[in-house]
Amino acid sequence: MSWFALLDCATRDPWVRDEVEDILGRRPRACVPRGSVVLETRLSPDGRPQTLLSYKQDGTAPTSFSLMSTPHGSVVLVIAQGDDVVHEVVERGREARTDTLQVTISWDVTKQLGRLVVARPETEHVLIRHFAMTRAPLLADLTALARPQGLTDIDPDVIFVALSTDIEPVGPMPTLSPSVRVDTAQGLRFAKSLRQGDVVRAASGKLVPVLHTIAREVPSLGSFRSVRLRAPYFGLTQDVVVSRHQRLLVSGPEVEYLFGREEVLIPASALVNGYAGHYEPAPRFVTYHQLLLPHHDAVRIPDAALESLYIGRMRRDKTLLDASVLNDLPRALLPEHHRAGYQVLRAFEAITLAEARAA
């Protein structure tokens, strides 16, 4: 089933899969032995404590759920099911107080395992804490988390809440829409069609092998929103749709003049300014793809280049690797990526560059 409920907190319009409503109609006490709750939120700029999400019902089987962010930089999870209580704390530190956080709570009661992950989507910063979870939550209780009425309260800074029957991965994410055309040894091919062993053209013009391809379906909200990069800006000859955290590799005399570098990286979200890029209307869920290459690199698309998947030294971090989209790969087959040294432009720098090129 995978994703079965979603709340866009901007509209407060919950979506629940039809099959779930059917199950609840026939089996009100149905459980979810394996699954995830994914929440994305902005942090309070004034440092106030936030109860991001809370739910409580006092029936014959009392249940409560709360997820909190403290001024001291902690994320606190409390799940109570009868006499079973989970209380976990992740210390994320005080840095970047106004950043967006993505929190993923996953469980598999057949293995008696739970996992709390706190990530900053715009960086590689991921904190993981494991705990014991022995009782499966009720489907009705989980579904109520995506319905902000009655028993559920959601902080105004929360962006979305999504529920899945899978253990949702964390860490580096795919960012290319299926329609992105990548330059290969056989010509242009759609990103969704590329496979391990294919050969693609790097930004330098060299042909490099694809070590692995990944794809993931995600809610089209928050850090997963799609951005349309518009031609003819930054050398594009046709529009390209990517995730907001995909980065475009840009070079040229304006880059050298403004930043003293031959090439820079620009996040797609920094180009959302009404002309170089805009947020793309999308269905409720989108599927992104990405390529793992031997080195930190960028792949050629028509008249431009897009950064490939960067994994750093993740092969040395078994905990993060096991939680990631690459968890099915042997550690010995993974490369170690070293940053290529590109400067990543901030939004105002990207706009300055766009205006300089348009002049």
Side-chain angles (χ1 to χ4, degrees):
M1 184 186 294
S2 190
W3 299 107
F4 66 88
L6 176 66
L7 174 67
D8 178 350
C9 295
T11 64
R12 291 276 165 157
D13 183 21
W15 168 83
V16 177
R17 191 179 289 273
D18 291 341
E19 297 95 304
V20 170
E21 302 288 13
D22 293 341
I23 292 171
L24 291 175
R26 292 182 283 106
R27 298 165 50 209
R29 303 285 299 171
C31 295
V32 181
R34 186 173 186 270
S36 299
V37 177
V38 181
L39 176 147
E40 193 165 296
T41 185
R42 293 173 292 270
L43 293 177
S44 170
D46 56 7
R48 65 177 174 83
Q50 296 168 279
T51 300
L52 302 173
L53 179 63
S54 67
Y55 167 79
K56 184 176 183 180
Q57 66 88 5
D58 297 317
T60 55
T63 301
S64 64
F65 175 101
S66 69
L67 184 67
M68 295 165 280
S69 175
T70 73
H72 304 292
S74 301
V75 174
V76 183
L77 170 69
V78 180
I79 305 173
Q81 301 175 86
D83 295 330
D84 291 347
V85 179
V86 170
H87 181 201
E88 297 297 328
V89 180
V90 169
E91 301 283 351
R92 62 171 188 84
R94 287 177 169 271
E95 81 294 338
R97 184 56 215 171
T98 58
D99 278 351
T100 297
L101 285 187
Q102 192 175 97
V103 182
T104 304
I105 305 111
S106 302
W107 64 91
D108 187 339
V109 296
T110 61
K111 299 178 181 178
Q112 298 190 0
L113 293 176
R115 187 177 74 199
L116 171 61
V117 181
V118 178
R120 290 168 55 190
E122 71 279 3
T123 72
E124 292 87 40
H125 188 71
V126 178
L127 299 171
I128 301 175
R129 185 172 180 86
H130 291 95
F131 55 89
M133 188 158 176
T134 58
R135 185 181 294 188
L138 294 180
L139 178 59
D141 292 335
L142 289 173
T143 304
L145 296 179
R147 288 173 166 159
Q149 56 188 2
L151 304 175
T152 303
D153 290 316
I154 299 179
D155 190 275
D157 285 323
V158 173
I159 299 167
F160 73 81
V161 180
L163 295 97
S164 170
T165 54
D166 284 341
I167 307 297
E168 292 297 326
V170 298
M173 287 292 141
T175 48
L176 303 177
S177 70
S179 62
V180 171
R181 296 194 302 162
V182 177
D183 195 1
T184 74
Q186 291 77 39
L188 294 173
R189 290 177 55 186
F190 291 119
K192 66 179 181 181
S193 72
L194 294 172
R195 297 292 180 267
Q196 180 183 19
D198 287 333
V199 177
V200 298
R201 194 171 300 280
S204 64
K206 294 181 179 179
L207 292 173
V208 295
V210 175
L211 301 183
H212 191 60
T213 62
I214 58 174
R216 187 188 175 199
E217 183 186 48
V218 291
S220 54
L221 299 169
S223 62
F224 298 129
R225 286 186 74 180
S226 298
V227 172
R228 177 175 291 273
L229 301 178
R230 299 178 59 203
Y233 295 99
F234 297 103
L236 292 171
T237 56
Q238 59 184 329
D239 291 1
V240 177
V241 179
V242 295
S243 166
R244 60 176 294 171
H245 290 305
Q246 174 64 56
R247 296 195 283 204
L248 181 70
L249 182 65
V250 178
S251 60
E254 298 89 356
V255 172
E256 293 191 48
Y257 176 74
L258 290 171
F259 306 107
R261 294 172 179 262
E262 292 184 1
E263 297 171 311
V264 294
L265 288 170
I266 305 179
S269 59
L271 296 175
V272 177
N273 54 17
Y275 54 96
H278 61 74
Y279 287 118
E280 178 77 352
R284 189 172 286 115
F285 296 93
V286 295
T287 298
Y288 292 119
H289 300 258
Q290 192 50 281
L291 309 176
L292 178 65
L293 303 181
H295 304 286
H296 178 219
D297 216 327
V299 294
R300 298 294 307 179
I301 62 172
D303 300 304
L306 297 174
E307 185 183 27
S308 62
L309 187 70
Y310 173 78
I311 63 170
R313 296 184 175 183
M314 194 166 67
R315 60 178 289 179
R316 303 189 186 191
D317 188 339
K318 187 177 186 301
T319 299
L320 178 56
L321 178 59
D322 289 346
S324 76
V325 290
L326 299 172
N327 61 10
D328 58 339
L329 289 182
R331 294 167 67 187
L333 298 182
L334 290 175
E336 290 195 1
H337 285 167
H338 303 280
R339 285 292 191 191
Y342 301 122
Q343 178 180 342
V344 179
L345 300 191
R346 291 165 288 185
F348 74 91
E349 292 172 322
I351 293 173
T352 300
L353 179 57
E355 291 174 345
R357 286 194 153 198

